[in-house]
Amino acid sequence: MSDYQVIVIGAGPGGYVAAIKCARLGLKTAIVETRDVGGTCLNRGCIPTKSLLHSAEVYHAVTHCEGLGITTGEVSFDFAKMQEKKVEVVTKLRTGVEGLLAANKIDVLRGFGVIEGQGSVRVGDTVYSTDNIIIATGSVPARPPIPGLDLPGVITSDELLEETDAFDPSLVIIGGGVIGVEFASVYATLGCAVTVVEAMPRILPTLDADIAQNLNMILRKKGVKVNAGAMVKQITKTENGLCVEFEAKGKMQSVTAGKVLVAIGRRPNTAGLFAEGFALEMERGRIIVNDRFETSVPGIYAIGDVSSKIQLAHVASAQGIVAAEIIAGHEPSMRLDLVPSCIYTSPEIASVGMTEAEATEKGIAVKCGKFMMHGNGKTIIAGGERGFIKVVTDAESGKVLGAQLMCERATDMLSEITTAIVGGMTVEQMQNVMRPHPTFNEGVTEAFEDVTGQSIHSAPAKSK
């Protein structure tokens, strides 16, 4: 008899959710973790970043409150205390995860987990037998082969979030993806001189072009210097700081800052995971799995960033639930093909389903609706940045295919549209919903009404 029915390696949002689901389905479960439970998302990613973003947003609100009839004295921020608040939030949530693992009678095996072979995991000097293994080791920041990347002050997002020293007045961010633009938003709001260098023709290259263009304008308004279509050649140490040299439009340029953040993405974390003589089928560092999250070795599964092409915490959690259900002999309870994406800039960005361009590429005739949020009462009250809600629908059936939001509370509003897509709802059904006034969510109504030219607060829709 095996020591466990399931051993999960990695206690991040994929791992601990998978372990809890396994335990609740009656499987004797253990989870292996060499660092703090909660993984990168809770300890060095999503949560600490959002804590700093919230502090920055409050600081911005206080320093721009005169228009609301509020007068303050001299306002400043204490970066060290912002970091203390971040640690407080992380600790509280991590304690909650530890409590959940204990409440579900999951053994937490502290140490580095090494897969010895099918059904065998070594943690330290102890080898445990198990019927099933779920790999949920996540990802680590990618570091491109750029000369000077090993210089002091050239750091990844993990290292930047762990810093507690004085706030640096200048920062160069290599990479204009999700990680890069979120940090640009935080540091620019706090008055840091931020420069973004992105190799692709525009920032957020995987998202709808309207979103990228709008965010580019907003970041520039905040003083961020955005250099798209730019390739970093080298980083050197100078008397004035770190000099980043890059080529853009055929010309060499440079910018100097106190720190350089490397934010070009993350790669699967598999270092040291397999014992000598054992291996799984992999592709460019990513563990290959089938539609049941099974690897090339029976009884070994992989979820989250280590195997998924989409590296998001909620994707890892959803995959963890489905993998646990499959191991327990149940039918999967979640749809995994519809992935909501959120970016916590100011304003927030959220998207789900198809963009207009993606639908067109697939030969689907679409009708789109768009509402500019400067006509939304709650946005005007809050003094929100320029933003919009755009919906994509099937021209023939009227079903909702996707949506892209860039406005206050966008990440909170997205689930309504995700639910509509999963439920096969139509434009008419979304128009029939009475949404309360005044709310940001009224913009959803306006966007769907724009599909049929019935919007009350905007001009009639043009032919789409």
Side-chain angles (χ1 to χ4, degrees):
M1 184 176 176
S2 300
D3 295 320
Y4 295 99
Q5 289 171 286
V6 181
I7 290 181
V8 181
I9 304 178
Y16 79 74
V17 169
I20 291 170
K21 187 65 175 181
C22 284
R24 290 180 178 176
L25 290 173
L27 303 173
K28 186 179 181 183
T29 306
I31 192 165
V32 183
E33 180 54 62
T34 187
R35 301 179 73 174
D36 294 320
V37 299
T40 294
C41 176
L42 197 160
N43 297 288
R44 299 172 298 281
C46 316
I47 298 300
T49 306
K50 305 322 170 267
S51 177
L52 291 176
L53 273 164
H54 180 67
S55 293
E57 287 167 359
V58 172
Y59 173 73
H60 180 269
V62 173
T63 55
H64 292 76
C65 64
E66 286 190 6
L68 300 175
I70 300 171
T71 303
T72 62
E74 185 178 349
V75 179
S76 62
F77 67 88
D78 187 327
F79 195 63
K81 287 188 177 179
M82 286 184 179
Q83 297 281 18
E84 287 176 14
K85 175 61 178 178
K86 175 202 72 178
V87 172
E88 178 187 325
V89 170
V90 169
T91 301
K92 185 174 183 178
L93 289 171
R94 186 168 61 229
T95 301
V97 174
E98 291 169 345
L100 283 171
L101 294 172
N104 285 279
K105 297 181 173 54
I106 297 165
D107 291 342
V108 179
L109 309 178
R110 295 287 181 177
F112 197 93
V114 179
I115 301 175
E116 298 275 311
Q118 186 178 23
S120 180
V121 176
R122 173 166 51 85
V123 182
D125 296 327
T126 306
V127 177
Y128 299 91
S129 60
T130 180
D131 300 332
N132 300 280
I133 298 169
I134 299 178
I135 302 170
T137 48
S139 61
V140 294
R143 296 183 71 91
I146 298 173
L149 217 64
D150 56 348
L151 288 170
V154 181
I155 56 179
T156 66
S157 57
D158 285 4
E159 296 157 341
L160 185 61
L161 286 168
E162 289 174 351
E163 286 193 337
T164 56
D165 58 359
F167 181 77
D168 204 293
S170 57
L171 176 70
V172 173
I173 301 174
I174 302 176
V178 175
I179 297 171
V181 298
E182 285 192 351
F183 276 108
S185 186
V186 171
Y187 279 76
T189 299
L190 296 177
C192 178
V194 178
T195 300
V196 176
V197 182
E198 167 58 44
M200 298 297 284
R202 58 181 171 85
I203 58 174
L204 298 179
T206 62
L207 295 187
D208 186 270
D210 284 352
I211 287 176
Q213 291 166 5
N214 205 38
L215 181 62
N216 189 66
M217 291 175 62
I218 290 170
L219 288 177
R220 289 181 184 277
K221 184 179 174 183
K222 291 181 177 180
V224 177
K225 296 179 180 178
V226 179
N227 299 277
M231 292 295 297
V232 176
K233 297 299 182 180
Q234 67 173 355
I235 304 170
T236 56
K237 180 72 175 176
T238 70
E239 292 182 359
N240 298 320
L242 293 163
C243 179
V244 179
E245 297 179 42
F246 59 92
E247 184 178 355
K249 297 179 180 178
K251 296 181 180 180
M252 289 301 300
Q253 301 180 45
S254 66
V255 59
T256 301
K259 280 193 174 66
V260 175
L261 170 64
V262 182
I264 64 162
R266 301 179 66 87
R267 58 178 177 80
N269 180 23
T270 57
L273 180 61
F274 309 121
E276 187 176 348
F278 178 79
L280 296 174
E281 185 180 350
M282 300 175 72
E283 181 182 47
R284 296 182 179 179
R286 183 174 60 87
I287 297 175
I288 301 298
V289 296
N290 61 19
D291 58 1
R292 294 172 60 83
F293 303 104
E294 295 172 311
T295 68
S296 55
V297 175
I300 301 181
Y301 300 76
I303 61 169
D305 289 9
V306 76
S307 59
S308 178
K309 293 181 180 179
I310 302 176
Q311 296 181 330
L312 294 171
H314 48 276
V315 169
S317 295
Q319 291 179 348
I321 290 171
V322 171
E325 291 169 336
I326 288 170
I327 290 171
H330 294 255
E331 285 297 314
S333 62
M334 299 188 72
R335 250 186 84 171
L336 300 177
D337 62 323
L338 197 62
V339 179
S341 175
C342 300
I343 304 175
Y344 296 83
T345 48
S346 181
E348 294 180 342
I349 297 169
S351 63
V352 68
M354 296 184 193
T355 64
E356 183 177 3
E358 288 169 343
T360 301
E361 284 176 11
K362 293 184 178 182
I364 302 172
V366 298
K367 284 186 177 181
C368 298
K370 189 173 184 180
F371 179 65
M372 302 304 296
M373 291 294 279
H374 57 65
N376 173 263
K378 200 70 182 291
T379 300
I380 295 172
I381 292 169
E385 295 278 5
R386 52 175 287 142
F388 62 88
I389 294 176
K390 181 180 179 180
V391 294
V392 182
T393 68
D394 189 305
E396 199 170 304
S397 67
K399 288 186 177 181
V400 184
L401 299 177
Q404 297 81 46
L405 294 74
M406 187 174 186
C407 56
E408 273 63 35
R409 302 290 193 275
T411 61
D412 296 320
M413 291 193 284
L414 187 66
S415 291
E416 176 186 6
I417 300 173
T418 306
T419 302
I421 299 172
V422 170
M425 295 180 69
T426 65
V427 174
E428 183 180 2
Q429 289 172 313
M430 294 301 287
Q431 286 177 325
N432 290 343
V433 176
M434 183 188 297
R435 295 178 179 86
H437 173 77
T439 61
F440 295 109
N441 214 46
E442 287 178 285
V444 173
T445 299
E446 298 284 355
F448 278 107
E449 288 180 344
D450 186 52
V451 175
T452 55
Q454 298 175 7
S455 178
I456 303 298
H457 296 98
S458 60
K462 297 179 180 179
S463 177
K464 294 179 172 61

